[in-house]
Amino acid sequence: MPPRSTNGYTPSTVVMDAPLEIDTGSGIWSPENYSKKFYGPSTLRFGIEQSRNVMTVRLAQDVGMPLIGEYAKRMGIYDSLPPYLSFALGAGETTLLRMVGAYGMFDNGGRKIVPTLIDRIQDRYGRTIYKHDGRECRGCDADKWANQNEPTLIDKRERVLDR
């Protein structure tokens, strides 16, 4: 299956990794890579794998910070992301729990994840008295294996990302 595209970008899109100067209105900002070097045209996949800051800023500049802010809000990373390009490099603050939830959405088919510190509470007899996962499980109430069909999870969580 070919890679999915976002605003015309795919993992194989070539983005320039070269010096960049941005007029912020109160001065010039020149983002740099950690190595202080530039590597020329590179694929987006490689740029992300290698954390090429300048490529990330170029991408954010083209896609637009309002769209990036909308994704950050849908994924629960920020309630409201300021439209500054430096936020594309992680200049903002969030919590570990919010980041875990956002990464979890990739692994759950783009479905909304609500992270929690307590997944389940059982009484002393092993009966579940609280469970964080609100998905319906059809066939999960069997006492023992009797050649029945496998249980089915009914997932009605909101989809926040395309697969």
Side-chain angles (χ1 to χ4, degrees):
M1 178 190 299
R4 289 199 171 260
S5 169
T6 304
N7 285 26
Y9 285 95
T10 69
S12 61
T13 300
V14 174
V15 177
M16 183 59 73
D17 184 14
L20 176 65
E21 291 185 346
I22 297 168
D23 185 354
T24 65
S26 61
I28 301 295
W29 177 53
S30 298
E32 296 179 340
N33 295 323
Y34 179 77
S35 67
K36 307 282 191 217
K37 297 177 184 175
F38 301 100
Y39 300 90
S42 303
T43 63
L44 188 54
R45 175 186 304 269
F46 185 79
I48 291 170
E49 288 171 355
Q50 299 298 313
S51 287
R52 300 285 188 242
N53 291 341
V54 179
M55 291 176 69
T56 301
V57 171
R58 283 185 197 280
L59 178 66
Q61 196 174 33
D62 189 47
V63 170
M65 287 306 293
L67 180 61
I68 292 169
E70 176 58 33
Y71 272 100
K73 184 176 182 177
R74 287 191 336 201
M75 295 177 74
I77 299 169
Y78 294 104
D79 294 328
S80 179
L81 181 72
Y84 307 123
L85 286 170
S86 59
F87 275 69
L89 299 177
E93 292 181 10
T94 191
T95 67
L96 178 60
L97 195 61
R98 284 178 172 232
M99 290 303 294
V100 166
Y103 277 104
M105 290 179 212
F106 288 112
D107 199 34
N108 281 270
R111 301 259 183 205
K112 179 94 174 152
I113 299 295
V114 179
T116 182
L117 297 175
I118 299 174
D119 186 48
R120 180 174 60 180
I121 300 173
Q122 294 179 311
D123 66 14
R124 62 182 163 187
Y125 303 107
R127 291 184 300 241
T128 299
I129 57 175
Y130 168 80
K131 131 179 127 159
H132 174 74
D133 189 347
R135 295 176 293 177
E136 176 188 350
C137 183
R138 295 185 183 156
C140 288
D141 54 357
D143 292 328
K144 63 179 184 171
W145 175 251
N147 289 327
Q148 68 268 37
N149 290 329
E150 293 179 7
T152 305
L153 281 174
I154 309 302
D155 197 350
K156 296 180 181 174
R157 296 175 297 175
E158 173 189 3
R159 181 174 299 283
V160 294
L161 298 171
D162 290 340
R163 291 185 206 202

